[in-house]
Amino acid sequence: MTVHPDRLDELLRASRAAGVRGLGRRSFLRGASVSALAVGVPGLLTACGTESQVQTAESCTSEDLSDTEKALVFSNWPEYIDRKGKKMPTLEEFQTTSGISVTYNTDVNDNTEFFGKVKDQLGGCEPIGRDIIVLTDWMAARMVSLGWVQELDMGAMPNVQANLKSDLRSPTWDPDRSYSVPWQSGLTGIAYNAKYTGEVGSFEELMTRSDLKGKVSLLSEMGDTMLFMLLLEGADPEDFTEEQWSGALGRLEGYVGSGQIRRFTGNDYIRDLNAGNVVACEAWSGDVIAMQYDNPDIKWVVPEEGLSLWSDNMLVPNKAEHKANAEALMDFYYQPEIAAQLAAWVNYICPVEGAQEAMEQVDASLVDNPLIFPDEDFLANAYGFMELDESTRQQYDKDFARVIGA
């Protein structure tokens, strides 16, 4: 499905009019990206859990002190909560209404980096000093598969049960949402600089147009870029075979060898795209909202092949001592009015049913913005990346690192 750039421009301008908060959560998402990959494949693999680190509910038990300790520690990404000056209005409202004191940290700057910080403790059934952590689907799936996350009491979260959007209720890695609750979701597509090139509407064009040769960048996280290579291969990114993976990897290798791709980046594609060093690239919609505030030539389109759809998820790690308090916070943010306040600030896809109607009272200009409230048609061709077991994930990371020259 294609959304015309003029329509997206209109929608993005509406988002900017609500107040751009600078480059936020997704700007930090791939913070380690090239730099982390540059340490080489061995460095990548040592950040992965090993079989000896796998825990179970029986091997690693946790004690909940929520009844006597009205506190919790929340680790999130930078610029990923509503702010008013130094205040965080929705978080302050939660503390006032619940009586639970929240220590809010912005110490999740990159999925792999954070994994590296906590893997030894969680692998050894030791506390990490946090009651809620927010991680992207693929890393949340890894944490769950390693047994490092406590099962949630959904009965204690009636707002989550009632208001979690239907399309987010059953990810393959947590089909009953027993371990995770989405914080926000977002999209990956194509951005281009209209000052230097015409519309780029598909990944096929991005990878084959001669006028773009050497002026294109792709993302350095395997799941993002390989999702689109799999689509070009005619495979389903959510259910593909080893043969299809090899074909997609070979396709990427060919594009690298042809000189079509200038480089693989984290969110530093922003500088290149603004300057015209890169004229078209794989990009995150949230970055484009921020970029367009200063540069209206930056356009974002839904690729003809489809979209990459991701979520960041709240998890309660093993040995966290305030699980019930954490569940109370998760449930608080699934009130439509609270979710609308949060969404109006962060400008990502809101996972809460009813928040779109509540947005009428928060910021009416955002009610029909599909980058916050996409409908089924908008997401008809949106994909996630297939869940991988630990050994396969390590092998695919190694394959990808080799092709991109990390």
Side-chain angles (χ1 to χ4, degrees):
M1 179 189 70
T2 302
V3 176
H4 194 275
D6 290 345
R7 174 60 177 149
L8 279 177
D9 288 348
E10 175 187 339
L11 296 164
L12 290 167
R13 283 195 297 272
S15 293
R16 294 201 311 277
V20 173
R21 283 81 185 178
L23 299 179
R25 174 262 182 276
R26 292 309 280 194
S27 302
F28 289 87
L29 177 60
R30 308 309 197 265
S33 56
V34 172
S35 58
L37 288 169
V39 302
V41 173
L44 265 177
L45 299 186
T46 56
C48 298
T50 64
E51 190 171 328
S52 63
Q53 291 179 303
V54 174
Q55 298 291 341
T56 66
E58 292 71 33
S59 68
C60 188
T61 59
S62 304
E63 181 182 6
D64 191 358
L65 304 179
S66 295
D67 285 344
T68 57
E69 296 182 5
K70 297 300 180 183
L72 68 88
V73 179
F74 186 177
S75 281
N76 206 347
W77 301 76
E79 301 299 323
Y80 212 21
I81 196 168
D82 54 307
R83 288 186 179 273
K84 188 175 183 180
K86 294 184 178 180
K87 295 183 177 181
M88 294 173 277
T90 57
L91 193 61
E92 291 187 10
E93 183 175 341
F94 169 73
Q95 293 179 94
T96 298
T97 58
S98 68
I100 297 170
S101 175
V102 181
T103 300
Y104 185 81
N105 299 321
T106 55
D107 55 350
V108 185
N109 290 318
D110 175 86
N111 285 290
T112 302
E113 176 189 272
F114 188 80
F115 186 97
K117 287 180 182 178
V118 302
K119 68 182 182 67
D120 290 338
Q121 295 99 308
L122 291 175
C125 187
E126 297 175 0
I128 61 170
R130 301 166 176 90
D131 300 295
I132 299 176
I133 56 178
V134 178
L135 298 172
T136 309
D137 288 324
W138 65 272
M139 183 56 79
R142 177 174 286 182
M143 290 280 198
V144 170
S145 69
L146 289 167
W148 293 357
V149 177
Q150 295 188 50
E151 185 171 356
L152 300 172
D153 178 4
M154 294 305 294
M157 297 186 286
N159 290 322
V160 176
Q161 285 188 304
N163 298 328
L164 175 58
K165 286 191 171 179
S166 59
D167 57 344
L168 294 172
R169 286 183 178 269
S170 300
T172 57
W173 54 273
D174 189 12
D176 299 318
R177 284 290 182 190
S178 300
Y179 298 93
S180 63
V181 173
W183 176 250
Q184 300 288 289
S185 299
L187 302 166
T188 307
I190 292 174
Y192 66 94
N193 190 327
K195 182 178 180 180
Y196 301 102
T197 189
E199 178 181 351
V200 181
S202 70
F203 264 80
E204 181 72 29
E205 288 185 55
L206 194 67
M207 293 291 95
T208 60
R209 267 176 43 182
S210 59
D211 62 307
L212 300 178
K213 186 173 182 178
K215 302 176 183 179
V216 165
S217 67
L218 297 181
L219 297 171
S220 55
E221 184 164 317
M222 182 271 286
D224 272 313
T225 292
M226 290 307 297
L227 180 145
F228 287 103
M229 295 302 108
L230 286 159
L231 286 172
L232 288 174
E233 192 68 11
D236 181 351
E238 297 178 344
D239 185 16
F240 57 88
T241 66
E242 188 70 31
E243 182 179 358
Q244 289 171 325
W245 166 260
S246 296
L249 194 69
R251 180 180 289 270
L252 179 62
E253 195 164 17
Y255 297 142
V256 171
S258 72
Q260 185 76 6
I261 302 166
R262 182 182 180 92
R263 67 190 189 103
F264 292 84
T265 75
N267 81 292
D268 48 336
Y269 68 81
I270 291 168
R271 292 190 295 271
D272 280 342
L273 189 61
N274 271 319
N277 299 324
V278 161
V279 300
C281 62
E282 186 179 12
W284 298 297
S285 58
D287 279 348
V288 175
I289 292 174
M291 292 169 71
Q292 283 203 327
Y293 183 72
D294 296 315
N295 187 352
D297 287 325
I298 303 301
K299 312 295 181 182
W300 189 84
V301 295
V302 177
E304 291 177 8
E305 294 85 0
L307 284 164
S308 171
L309 175 65
W310 46 265
S311 292
D312 293 322
N313 305 274
M314 294 180 281
L315 311 167
V316 178
N318 285 350
K319 307 305 285 187
E321 296 180 334
H322 307 104
K323 176 173 168 285
N325 293 344
E327 291 164 344
L329 184 142
M330 294 177 189
D331 201 54
F332 173 82
Y333 276 96
Y334 270 70
Q335 298 175 85
E337 297 78 11
I338 299 300
Q341 291 181 55
L342 177 63
W345 205 92
V346 300
N347 288 152
Y348 282 100
I349 296 175
C350 181
V352 179
E353 201 69 59
Q356 186 169 18
E357 291 76 12
M359 187 65 81
E360 290 277 4
Q361 303 303 315
V362 177
D363 187 337
S365 71
L366 300 179
V367 170
D368 295 320
N369 191 329
L371 301 180
I372 300 175
F373 301 112
D375 59 23
E376 289 184 8
D377 289 340
F378 192 87
L379 295 179
N381 293 322
Y383 299 88
F385 196 84
M386 186 172 76
E387 181 185 359
L388 304 173
D389 61 57
E390 191 67 17
S391 62
T392 303
R393 163 66 66 173
Q394 291 185 22
Q395 183 59 54
Y396 284 7
D397 280 340
K398 182 178 179 179
D399 293 343
F400 183 68
R402 173 183 58 80
V403 170
I404 71 173

